[in-house]
Amino acid sequence: MEYIIETNKVSKTFNGKKILDEISLKVKQGSVYGFLGNNGAGKSTTIRILLGLLKVDRGDVTIFGDKIAISNATYKQHIGCIIDSPVLYEHLNAAEFLQLTRLLKNLPKTEISRVLEIVGLADNKKLIISNYSLGMKQRLAIANSLMGQPRLLILDEPTNGLDPQGIIDVRNLLKNLPEQDNCTVFLSSHLLDEVEKIATDVGAIQQGKMIFQQSLSELINDALGCLSLEITEPKLALDLLVSKGFSLDIQSNSQITITNIEKQHCPSVHQLLINNNIEIFQSRYQARSLEQCFQKFNQQVN
Ligand SMILES: Nc1ncnc2c1ncn2[C@@H]1O[C@H](COP(=O)(O)OP(=O)(O)OP(=O)(O)O)[C@@H](O)[C@H]1O
Ligand SMILES: [Mg+2]
């Protein structure tokens, strides 16, 4: 099974308004999949459908290789999730709180120390949860969702409301989970910088429609970047490069920037300049960020 989650043209309407319009997700096993979209785009609605909390109007959802059905919820035993704000019993300490989940799920005692170790809270397990920082609470909620070693973790905006240190802690935790706990992570977010640091794969929805879905590295590499060059003879270089169809700016009498160029075309630009006796002192290629890619696709839709 290549995909842990696969949805096929899932559509959902609320009060006559189409909220999800033929959403087809493909989430690879062992990936950290960042599900992007602005406020109100339909991320939480999609997550509620994946978790069987909402029925689709049209389309189908396959998780762990089987189509999900309201009548058969066994697939949920292998999913850990946090939707909305995590509910923690704050008068308990972490070990006591996780003990409740352990008993409910009938898991071995070792499971508590295993998940506390993963989220880096082993040293704080006796501290009352109300004394935890927001980031520690979020990590505890993730520990709770990892009880029983789920194959899939679904998180709706996991870094929402956290301070910079909390964001870093949760980021490091989520990034390492596939390898550390053999678990696929599906997380929604509108924080593009954050997703760029965590995800291996990304998909985005805008007004209920998928606007892209790709591995992060392919998305960034396929997007056209900028090549900044420090050279002799910038005017001659400009003429040469324009004649080859490049668009570019002259910044100073030694600096030019080629906008919208694929990375693999940079060596031929260098060669062209050298062949024309133009000396290159510095050359720097800057790839697009996830944010720039998102904006580009967004503009295409609007
Ligand atoms: N139960 C419901 N009844 C009616 N409309 C709903 C319901 N649930 C969601 N919506 C609408 O569906 C749209 C998508 O909402 P959703 O919560 O999925 O967005 P989101 O991408 O998670 O946004 P955010 O980033 O703000 O969390 C919104 O316009 C919302 O008002
Ligand atoms: Mg939401």
Side-chain angles (χ1 to χ4, degrees):
M1 182 203 353
E2 189 184 357
Y3 298 115
I4 284 276
I5 301 174
E6 203 170 354
T7 71
N8 177 31
K9 297 189 172 178
V10 162
S11 298
K12 181 77 191 170
T13 300
F14 283 127
N15 309 327
K17 189 176 166 216
K18 205 165 224 183
I19 300 300
L20 299 181
D21 190 1
E22 303 200 336
I23 297 296
S24 295
L25 293 171
K26 287 184 192 303
V27 180
K28 281 184 249 149
Q29 186 160 12
S31 60
V32 177
Y33 187 105
F35 189 41
L36 309 167
N38 293 333
N39 291 129
K43 303 181 296 298
S44 299
T45 304
T46 307
I47 285 182
R48 285 160 67 207
I49 285 172
L50 297 179
L51 293 170
L53 302 172
L54 262 183
K55 266 170 67 176
V56 300
D57 294 340
R58 272 189 290 119
D60 47 62
V61 178
T62 302
I63 296 189
F64 308 133
D66 292 317
K67 274 191 191 152
I68 66 167
I70 298 288
S71 55
N72 184 1
T74 49
Y75 78 98
K76 289 192 212 173
Q77 289 171 5
H78 305 289
I79 300 180
C81 69
I82 306 178
I83 48 171
D84 303 320
S85 308
V87 178
L88 304 168
Y89 299 128
E90 301 216 356
H91 60 289
L92 301 178
N93 67 37
E96 290 165 343
F97 175 68
L98 294 174
Q99 172 75 348
L100 297 177
T101 307
R102 183 183 87 75
L103 294 173
L104 273 172
K105 292 190 171 177
N106 197 19
L107 299 170
K109 278 189 180 148
T110 47
E111 194 59 6
I112 295 180
S113 42
R114 189 186 75 84
V115 296
L116 283 172
E117 204 62 52
I118 292 175
V119 303
L121 287 175
D123 292 344
N124 296 296
K125 66 179 177 191
K126 297 283 183 204
L127 189 67
I128 300 295
I129 299 169
S130 59
N131 295 324
Y132 274 26
S133 69
L134 217 52
M136 289 165 83
K137 285 180 188 169
Q138 188 66 343
R139 281 188 286 144
L140 177 58
I142 294 172
N144 193 41
S145 62
L146 288 174
M147 292 284 285
Q149 233 177 337
R151 294 167 65 192
L152 170 64
L153 193 62
I154 295 183
L155 306 168
D156 198 1
E157 311 269 1
T159 50
N160 229 3
L162 300 185
D163 66 12
Q165 188 55 48
I167 290 178
I168 292 169
D169 291 344
V170 170
R171 180 200 303 155
N172 291 338
L173 166 60
L174 296 180
K175 236 173 130 155
N176 296 327
L177 268 183
E179 208 167 307
Q180 206 173 2
D181 212 30
N182 201 17
C183 163
T184 302
V185 179
F186 180 89
L187 60 98
S188 79
S189 184
H190 54 262
L191 305 174
L192 301 175
D193 278 2
E194 220 17 68
V195 170
E196 192 167 358
K197 292 186 183 114
I198 301 179
T200 54
D201 296 80
V202 286
I205 56 171
Q206 183 61 335
Q207 291 159 13
K209 285 193 166 71
M210 284 304 281
I211 54 172
F212 61 82
Q213 177 169 236
Q214 229 173 338
S215 88
L216 180 64
S217 57
E218 274 172 22
L219 180 78
I220 303 277
N221 283 336
D222 287 356
L224 302 175
C226 292
L227 177 65
S228 302
L229 295 159
E230 190 183 334
I231 49 174
T232 55
E233 309 285 350
K235 286 203 173 62
L236 173 59
L238 180 96
D239 292 342
L240 280 167
L241 290 165
V242 167
S243 74
K244 297 281 178 197
F246 290 106
S247 51
L248 65 176
D249 289 331
I250 294 193
Q251 266 97 29
S252 70
N253 54 9
S254 62
Q255 285 275 349
I256 62 170
T257 296
I258 304 178
T259 50
N260 298 326
I261 175 171
E262 282 180 47
K263 196 173 183 181
Q264 63 262 35
H265 287 154
C266 296
S268 60
V269 167
H270 294 155
Q271 200 59 57
L272 180 71
L273 299 180
I274 291 163
N275 290 348
N276 285 277
N277 299 323
I278 296 170
E279 287 182 57
I280 305 170
F281 302 121
Q282 216 178 70
S283 171
R284 195 165 79 96
Y285 182 78
Q286 203 174 10
R288 289 284 163 114
S289 66
L290 179 57
E291 185 173 328
Q292 287 166 324
C293 295
F294 183 77
Q295 273 166 359
K296 190 188 88 186
F297 280 103
N298 225 352
Q299 280 159 5
Q300 286 170 0
V301 172
N302 292 327

